[in-house]
Amino acid sequence: MPFIIAIDGPAASGKGTIARALAAHFGFHHLDTGLLYRAVGAKGGDPIAAARTLEATDLARPDLRSAEAGQAASRIAAIPEVRAALLAFQHRFAGQEPGAVLDGRDIGTVICPGAPVKLYVTASDQVRAQRRAAELGADPVQMLAELQERDRRDRERATAPLRPAEDAVVLDTSNLTITDAIAQAVAVVDRARG
């Protein structure tokens, strides 16, 4: 039985960094599920058709980390038919041996609600905006407004809104170094694995 680690949280909270580190540490597969929605948006055209024909190679596009792709992903993620089309892709990925780490917005609540480890990674709006602005070379004030708008859209959508699973461990990275945040996440997984 593969071991699944579900990581959720808002943009620029550190969830992707933590997910990649956990996958490397435990020798698990990693999927940034946000890339699925970014890739669907980047394909253009009808988002439902794009989601139904998504392939692993679509996740390697160089433009998927742009702010525009992130905004498109947030809008597309609100379409129930897109989410349904991508569900099977994510379930197949999660079933890989010896285990998988999936990060996104609804992994612990919708995609893998039975995962033995669920983390909800968060940080203050200001810290997240500064991180993302530094990553993209953008204006922190503008980035704060964009992140808050995206958070609002992600939390208020009718299908799979952004929220921690009831049994998720909340990890606030606002005042943590990357090393400390990863160490805390590894400790949570170690406890769950016994």
Side-chain angles (χ1 to χ4, degrees), residues 22-148:
L22 289 176
H25 182 85
F26 292 104
F28 291 173
H29 304 276
H30 170 248
L31 177 63
D32 172 354
T33 64
L35 283 182
L36 301 176
Y37 296 94
R38 287 169 179 260
V40 168
K43 283 178 83 167
D46 175 39
I48 298 168
R52 288 181 178 149
T53 59
L54 190 70
E55 297 179 14
T57 53
D58 294 322
L59 305 181
R61 290 177 58 132
D63 60 344
L64 296 184
R65 293 287 178 197
S66 69
E68 296 79 19
Q71 290 294 332
S74 181
R75 287 189 294 276
I76 287 166
I79 303 170
E81 295 86 355
V82 169
R83 300 192 78 78
L86 296 178
L87 189 62
F89 187 104
Q90 293 170 85
H91 282 163
R92 280 192 308 275
F93 190 92
Q96 296 180 93
E97 294 286 353
V101 182
L102 288 82
D103 71 89
R105 301 285 194 284
D106 64 346
I107 308 305
T109 56
V110 176
I111 306 301
C112 299
V117 172
K118 295 179 194 134
L119 290 172
Y120 187 84
V121 180
T122 190
S124 74
D125 290 356
Q126 290 72 22
V127 167
R128 293 187 305 115
Q130 290 197 346
R131 287 175 183 167
R132 186 51 53 91
E135 177 186 342
L136 299 175
D139 173 46
V141 175
Q142 178 185 346
M143 192 54 56
L144 177 62
E146 288 178 15
L147 284 177
Q148 288 174 333

Side-chain angles (χ1 to χ4, degrees), residues 181-194:
I182 292 168
Q184 287 189 25
V186 167
V188 170
V189 177
D190 282 339
R191 283 194 299 273
R193 296 182 81 200

Side-chain angles (χ1 to χ4, degrees), residues 37 69-78 149-151 153-154 157:
Y37 296 94
Q71 290 294 332
S74 181
R75 287 189 294 276
I76 287 166
E149 170 61 21
R150 184 172 173 191
D151 290 348
R153 199 168 44 239
D154 290 348
R157 66 182 179 222

